[in-house]
């Protein structure tokens, strides 16, 4: 007798849709039951005061939160709504960039690797500038591949300009994504369309530049001067240890293995390697200036996932590692997500107890603005 599942296997396209929706539903549940974080509250205030810029960040995160709260109100779901929607597009484009054969096996591989990256999951429901940064990182890489595939066409240049502006409106770290791609292909400077792309991106970003100028460049002063707290040798081991939970130590190990093991197949893969290695190296060296926040390297997860997925399809040793080592770690990530939703640990975090703290503060402050 033929088993019904074997007789009617799920088609690759349907499997991708089901896994994408499962990820989205998990994010919705997570959003509903996880309290607003301190940073999210801060960016919610941004959303109440529309502007072309803010003290420490560009304005896109404010627009994302404002759009969500307009639809779903000032709730946890409202604040996070468009972050969750953006991740659907992020995952779809990321899968397309992996450029592997469209099969059930490869779709499962892609979701296993993507789901294993801890902070990719976090920025699927937490509303911070890193969420739009991830989306525009993958869109920029997609536009760059199109630019290459169309032999440096003007259409590709304009598409790339839009994505570069999106990167910069998301977070200033987006400039590193752009620079590392340029460093990977200096031939760009010989292509007239590249200059069209750069000039157009600057024009699109001009409102924020003018905002900085009119407000005496507060963001530059904050990030380059005020955040500098002097150098300590302890910053280096702290940075290296903190990268493990950002990426998942097992997945990061696979990424570094692929970085050295895989020979780049074309100009685009060279760019992926430059962005991945560039972020890790740049922020390692940034420790000489001051402490590096662990999540500042998150954009490196985009090329890392693509490179791991591509290599695993031709490298059985890596595929076995993903099955036996990375896949079991997903259970730990799911448990951690549960702990964010349910306050059952003695460990205090910014994700627990906010409702009570705000109620206590309101009881004392009354009608006075706090």
């Amino acid at each position: 007798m033929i088993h019904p599942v074997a007789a009617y296997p799920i088609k690759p396209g349907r499997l991708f849709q089901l896994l994408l929706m499962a990820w989205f539903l998990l994010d919705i549940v997570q959003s509903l039951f996880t309290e607003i974080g301190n940073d999210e509250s801060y960016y919610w205030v941004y959303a109440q005061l529309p502007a072309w810029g803010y003290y420490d960040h560009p304005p896109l995160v404010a627009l994302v939160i404002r759009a969500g709260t307009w639809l779903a109100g000032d709730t946890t779901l409202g604040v996070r709504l468009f972050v969750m929607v953006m991740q659907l597009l992020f995952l779809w484009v990321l899968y397309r960039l992996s450029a592997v054969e469209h099969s059930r096996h490869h779709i499962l591989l892609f979701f296993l690797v993507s789901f294993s990256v801890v902070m990719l999951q976090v920025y699927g429901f937490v509303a911070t500038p890193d969420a739009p940064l991830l989306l525009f990182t993958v869109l920029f890489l997609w536009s760059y591949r199109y630019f290459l595939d169309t032999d440096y066409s003007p259409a590709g240049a304009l598409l790339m300009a839009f994505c570069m502006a999106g990167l910069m409106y998301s977070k200033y770290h987006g400039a590193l994504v752009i620079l590392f791609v340029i460093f990977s292909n200096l031939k760009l400077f010989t292509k007239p369309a590249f200059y069209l792309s750069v000039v157009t991106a600057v024009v699109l970003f001009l409102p924020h530049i003018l905002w900085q100028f009119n407000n005496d460049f507060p963001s530059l002063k904050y990030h380059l001067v005020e955040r500098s707290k002097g150098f300590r040798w302890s910053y280096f081991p702290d940075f290296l240890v903190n990268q493990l939970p950002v990426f998942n130590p097992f997945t990061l190990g696979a990424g570094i293995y692929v970085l050295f093991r895989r020979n780049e197949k074309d100009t685009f893969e060279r760019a992926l390697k430059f962005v991945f290695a560039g972020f890790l190296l740049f922020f390692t060296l940034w420790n000489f200036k001051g402490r590096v926040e662990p999540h500042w390297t998150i954009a490196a997860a985009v090329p890392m996932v693509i490179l791991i997925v591509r290599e695993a399809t031709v490298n059985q040793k890596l595929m076995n590692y993903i099955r036996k080592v990375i896949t079991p770690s997903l259970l730990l990530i799911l448990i951690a997500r549960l702990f964010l939703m349910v306050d059952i640990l003695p460990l205090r975090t910014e994700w627990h107890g906010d409702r009570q703290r705000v109620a206590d503060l309101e009881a004392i402050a009354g009608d006075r603005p706090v």
Side-chain angles (χ1 to χ4, degrees):
M1 180 178 178
I2 300 176
H3 194 278
V5 175
Y8 303 100
I10 300 176
K11 294 180 179 180
R14 178 57 59 87
L15 177 62
F16 184 86
Q17 293 170 2
L18 289 173
L19 291 174
L20 195 63
M21 286 301 102
W23 191 315
F24 182 59
L25 290 174
L26 176 60
D27 283 342
I28 290 178
V29 172
Q30 187 83 49
S31 178
L32 290 171
F33 290 96
T34 302
E35 293 185 27
I36 287 289
N38 297 336
D39 285 353
E40 290 179 289
S41 301
Y42 176 54
Y43 300 129
W44 175 85
V45 175
Y46 279 10
Q48 312 312 303
L49 306 165
W52 282 107
Y54 299 93
Y55 175 62
D56 56 343
H57 283 296
L60 190 52
V61 66
L63 180 62
V64 169
I65 293 175
R66 189 175 181 86
T69 54
W70 180 74
L71 288 175
D74 290 321
T75 61
T76 56
L77 182 63
V79 170
R80 296 162 172 165
L81 178 60
F82 274 93
V83 169
M84 295 183 288
V85 172
M86 285 191 305
Q87 191 164 74
L88 294 179
L89 178 59
F90 166 80
L91 289 167
W92 181 76
V93 178
L94 186 64
Y95 174 70
R96 295 295 297 270
L97 284 178
S98 68
V100 294
E101 180 188 355
H102 189 52
S103 67
R104 288 176 292 169
H105 177 70
H106 291 157
I107 289 169
L108 287 172
L109 168 66
F110 168 77
F111 276 96
L112 282 174
V113 175
S114 300
F115 200 80
S116 72
V117 181
V118 176
M119 296 306 286
L120 282 189
Q121 291 202 44
V122 171
Y123 294 129
F125 67 91
V126 173
T128 72
D130 299 277
L133 173 70
L134 283 170
L135 175 61
F136 276 99
T137 296
V138 78
L139 287 175
F140 172 66
L141 291 173
W142 169 70
S143 69
Y144 175 63
R145 192 182 71 175
Y146 179 79
F147 189 50
L148 296 175
D149 291 344
T150 56
D151 195 23
Y152 305 100
S153 67
L158 293 175
L159 182 62
M160 208 164 57
F162 171 79
C163 295
M164 284 194 284
L167 272 170
M168 294 305 299
Y169 274 116
S170 298
K171 196 172 184 178
Y172 299 120
H173 295 169
L176 295 177
V177 179
I178 299 168
L179 288 174
F180 292 139
V181 167
I182 293 173
F183 291 156
S184 74
N185 182 13
L186 296 180
K187 189 191 295 186
L188 289 170
F189 289 105
T190 68
K191 306 297 179 181
F194 170 69
Y195 295 95
L196 170 65
S197 184
V198 172
V199 170
T200 305
V202 171
V203 171
L204 292 172
F205 195 56
L206 195 57
H208 181 70
I209 296 174
L210 292 175
W211 181 91
Q212 289 285 348
F213 181 81
N214 292 332
N215 289 277
D216 198 23
F217 302 99
S219 304
L220 290 178
K221 292 179 180 178
Y222 173 68
H223 288 293
L224 298 180
V225 179
E226 295 174 20
R227 295 196 73 163
S228 298
K229 297 181 179 179
F231 170 70
R232 296 180 183 176
W233 284 108
S234 61
Y235 288 160
F236 286 100
D238 288 348
F239 170 76
L240 295 175
V241 170
N242 286 335
Q243 292 313 294
L244 300 180
V246 168
F247 293 98
N248 181 332
F250 307 114
T251 311
L252 180 60
I256 293 173
Y257 164 78
V258 171
L259 185 65
F260 290 99
R261 169 68 172 77
R262 183 176 176 84
N263 294 323
E264 58 209 36
K265 304 300 181 183
D266 51 31
T267 305
F268 181 69
E269 274 206 9
R270 180 176 173 82
L272 295 177
K273 285 192 169 186
F274 266 66
V275 174
F276 180 30
F279 262 84
L280 297 180
L281 180 61
F282 178 88
F283 283 113
T284 298
L285 296 177
W286 194 261
N287 283 288
F288 282 112
K289 181 183 178 301
R291 183 179 180 274
V292 174
E293 295 295 331
H295 64 280
W296 286 359
T297 57
I298 188 55
V302 173
M304 182 185 75
V305 168
I306 297 171
L307 289 169
I308 291 174
V309 170
R310 287 187 175 190
E311 179 64 20
T313 61
V314 295
N315 186 329
Q316 190 58 46
K317 180 179 178 182
L318 178 60
M319 183 66 80
N320 291 337
Y321 174 83
I322 292 171
R323 288 194 189 115
K324 297 177 181 179
V325 179
I326 292 180
T327 300
S329 71
L330 303 187
L331 179 60
L332 297 177
I333 296 174
L334 288 171
I335 292 173
R337 293 187 67 152
L338 176 62
F339 287 153
L340 283 180
M341 290 188 285
V342 184
D343 188 8
I344 57 177
L345 292 179
L347 179 67
R348 297 291 91 188
T349 73
E350 67 175 276
W351 310 100
H352 301 117
D354 247 8
R355 291 188 179 94
Q356 187 60 48
R357 284 195 293 270
V358 171
D360 293 343
L361 181 61
E362 186 178 26
I364 297 172
D367 295 331
R368 287 170 289 179
V370 176

